Amino acid sequence: MKKKSVGFVVILMLVAALSACSGNNNNQGTNGQAGSSAGSSDKVVNLTFWGGVPAEAGPQEIVDTWNKQNPNIQVTYVRYVNDDSGNLKLDTALVSGQNVDIFANYTKPLLSKRVSSGAALDLSQFSDYNIDDKMGAGAKEWLVNDKYYALPTKKNMHFVWLNKDALDEAGLPVPTDWTLADVEKYAKALQTDSRWGYATFPFWRDVVSFDGSLAVQGSVKEDGTSNFDAPIVGEALQQQYDMMHTSKVSPPISLIETTKMNLIAEFLGNKVAMLNAGEWVFRDANNLTDYPRDFKAAFAPLPRMTEAQDDFRYLGGLGDAIAINAKSEYTKEAWEFLKWYADGGMLPQAKGGRIPASKDADQSKAIELLLGDLKDKYDLESLERVLSNELPTFQVSLPQEVLDIRTEEFDKYYIKAQSLEETLQNVVRRHNEYLKRN
């Protein structure tokens, strides 16, 4: 899940000619002519919705339900993979006038980039839906230039998945508040010859650790220089390095990337005892056909970096921010669909862990869909605890270029290509250079 810059400026230059002559011609009526309004009885408005969730994991059922209820506004779902190449595909489609009317954004840096390119519609023109009231205070984390260009639709839930059976065998309780040092102790007790103690996705490892640690004091000091040399950054880097190379309870980043290790499959296959992830794992955890498992899953909050840390913030808030293409011919129709989607239309995705954020969505139904008939496969007490936790949260907000700089330098340390001191010096230097340019 490692994010890299996709060279958006270059894309704009390459496709400028295309966008000038192509237009957004996807909204054709049933006779090949552009559809008119939602109220027209003889023409159909066709909208294309791009999202990162596989169609069979809820989106197809969602659009099928909408299409049945709204014969004059028909929606087609297009799945793009939420990785570097998938986001490049979406960005290229947006700037070249291809078939995109509605699109999902999974990080704020990507949304901000699309706003700056003019691809996302300013939603303040619609006065019939109060986003703050519907979604709560967490929605504000998605503001760009103090405006909503996308509607956050789901509760972000990041936590640590644990093999409850392995915990019981080791005589360990399910953690309710812990640090990265505690994680290492648990991992040592849970590791076997055929099972890693702990694993985390490279991208989320950095975001959880460093953005959570600097969420309050900020990544930039009062004097305008980088704060990536804050003591907590070096401590967290050292701890994570030690788990890869000293205690060896966590697979090294080089192993994860060179073998394209599927960490979800490793956890569900009892080859990883604890996985730092989130609600998206439910999609596979509930699929016992492809991922059969004979253990119960338990859940713990994300670990703070150190015991003394009292300003740590937990990755969470709201996610799946859905935007409308500013170049779409049918922004009003897209808005009608988006409101319906947010207030409950998205419920079929709950079985994959996507719990609606709207206060008007049926939360009990969402949880029912999430667990289905697999309640015996989960430790319900710990699940309810992490779902109901009201811990202070933060949203990923660093520019993509800064995320890339940090990842590149941290990875050099993790693969033993440079020392911790060199890593901190390099990331601070490059961050300061970025700050001077911007």
Side-chain angles (χ1 to χ4, degrees):
M1 231 173 192
K2 179 178 171 184
K3 305 295 181 183
K4 293 183 179 178
S5 173
V6 295
F8 198 66
V9 174
V10 176
I11 298 172
L12 283 171
M13 295 173 62
L14 291 174
V15 301
L18 286 174
S19 61
C21 62
S22 64
N24 190 16
N25 297 320
N26 57 300
N27 296 306
Q28 298 298 313
T30 54
N31 295 318
Q33 300 176 342
S36 56
S37 67
S40 173
S41 61
D42 58 346
K43 291 183 180 178
V44 176
V45 170
N46 292 304
L47 302 174
T48 305
F49 174 23
W50 285 50
V53 180
E56 65 274 13
Q60 192 59 52
E61 183 180 346
I62 291 169
V63 298
D64 287 347
T65 300
W66 167 270
N67 290 342
K68 185 177 180 180
Q69 297 174 0
N70 300 271
N72 290 340
I73 306 177
Q74 295 291 286
V75 178
T76 299
Y77 182 75
V78 174
R79 195 268 175 117
Y80 75 93
V81 179
N82 181 30
D83 59 10
D84 292 339
S85 60
N87 279 289
L88 173 60
K89 180 179 179 181
L90 171 59
D91 289 334
T92 303
L94 285 168
V95 298
S96 63
Q98 296 179 41
N99 300 352
V100 186
D101 294 286
I102 307 162
F103 57 95
N105 302 270
Y106 300 101
T107 68
K108 188 173 179 180
L110 285 172
L111 172 63
S112 297
K113 183 177 64 175
R114 289 157 185 163
V115 169
S116 66
S117 75
L121 185 72
D122 178 1
L123 300 182
S124 64
Q125 63 185 273
F126 302 114
S127 60
D128 60 340
Y129 193 96
N130 189 319
I131 296 176
D132 292 325
D133 179 60
K134 290 271 191 175
M135 304 300 174
K140 291 187 181 298
E141 294 177 336
W142 284 95
L143 288 170
V144 178
N145 301 324
D146 294 323
K147 292 183 178 180
Y148 285 113
Y149 289 87
L151 177 59
T153 57
K154 83 169 180 73
K155 296 179 180 179
N156 266 349
M157 297 182 292
H158 293 261
F159 38 76
V160 179
W161 289 69
L162 308 102
N163 184 322
K164 181 64 163 57
D165 293 16
L167 287 180
D168 292 343
E169 291 172 9
L172 295 172
V174 177
T176 58
D177 180 25
W178 56 345
T179 67
L180 197 58
D182 296 325
V183 169
E184 185 173 24
K185 292 177 183 177
Y186 266 62
K188 289 178 180 177
L190 298 174
Q191 181 147 312
T192 68
D193 291 340
S194 61
R195 183 176 67 202
W196 291 98
Y198 174 73
T200 182
F201 295 93
F203 176 73
W204 295 120
R205 174 204 61 217
D206 293 345
V207 166
V208 167
S209 303
F210 306 108
D211 295 333
S213 296
L214 299 177
V216 174
Q217 55 182 291
S219 60
V220 180
K221 299 174 184 176
E222 290 185 2
D223 63 3
T225 61
S226 175
N227 195 30
F228 286 141
D229 56 357
I232 192 68
V233 176
E235 291 179 41
L237 278 166
Q238 181 70 63
Q239 286 184 358
Q240 295 184 124
Y241 177 96
D242 287 345
M243 283 198 285
M244 295 180 204
H245 301 295
T246 305
S247 61
K248 299 182 179 180
V249 295
S250 185
I253 185 173
S254 56
L255 178 65
I256 293 175
E257 295 186 344
T258 57
T259 64
K260 300 186 184 302
M261 186 182 293
N262 183 334
L263 293 179
I264 296 177
E266 294 290 292
F267 172 73
L268 296 176
N270 197 19
K271 295 180 181 179
V272 168
M274 301 185 295
L275 177 63
N276 186 324
E279 86 282 342
W280 66 88
V281 176
F282 277 106
R283 190 168 67 214
D284 293 325
N286 287 340
N287 179 2
L288 298 184
T289 300
D290 295 327
Y291 301 99
R293 61 185 166 93
D294 55 6
F295 66 87
K296 183 177 291 188
F299 307 88
L302 296 173
R304 289 173 288 124
M305 293 303 101
T306 66
E307 186 69 37
Q309 190 175 24
D310 59 4
D311 62 349
F312 185 75
R313 294 295 179 264
Y314 297 82
L315 182 61
L318 306 182
D320 285 18
I322 314 298
I324 296 173
N325 187 350
K327 298 177 183 178
S328 171
E329 296 177 39
Y330 298 106
T331 56
K332 291 182 179 179
E333 289 83 356
W335 177 242
E336 290 303 312
F337 171 78
L338 183 49
K339 289 187 296 181
W340 170 87
Y341 174 95
D343 281 349
M346 65 175 288
L347 269 173
Q349 291 181 126
K351 57 180 175 282
R354 285 180 143 75
I355 307 299
S358 173
K359 69 177 186 179
D360 289 346
D362 188 339
Q363 298 297 319
S364 60
K365 178 65 174 177
I367 299 300
E368 180 183 333
L369 289 170
L370 174 65
L371 299 179
D373 58 357
L374 299 176
K375 292 183 177 64
D376 62 331
K377 289 294 184 179
Y378 299 102
D379 178 59
L380 299 181
E381 181 181 354
S382 62
L383 176 59
E384 291 173 3
R385 189 161 52 238
V386 296
L387 292 182
S388 62
N389 264 347
E390 295 187 4
L391 299 168
T393 63
F394 76 94
Q395 186 67 256
V396 181
S397 59
L398 283 175
Q400 190 64 46
E401 186 175 345
V402 176
L403 292 173
D404 292 341
I405 289 171
R406 191 174 63 181
T407 298
E408 289 169 10
E409 296 301 331
F410 289 174
D411 283 1
K412 291 176 186 176
Y413 172 57
Y414 292 140
I415 65 173
K416 302 182 179 182
Q418 64 187 15
S419 68
L420 177 58
E421 182 179 2
E422 290 171 325
T423 298
L424 293 173
Q425 290 174 348
N426 289 342
V427 76
V428 167
R429 173 182 55 79
R430 294 181 64 186
H431 188 203
N432 283 332
E433 291 171 352
Y434 169 85
L435 292 171
K436 289 179 181 179
R437 294 194 305 270
N438 295 273

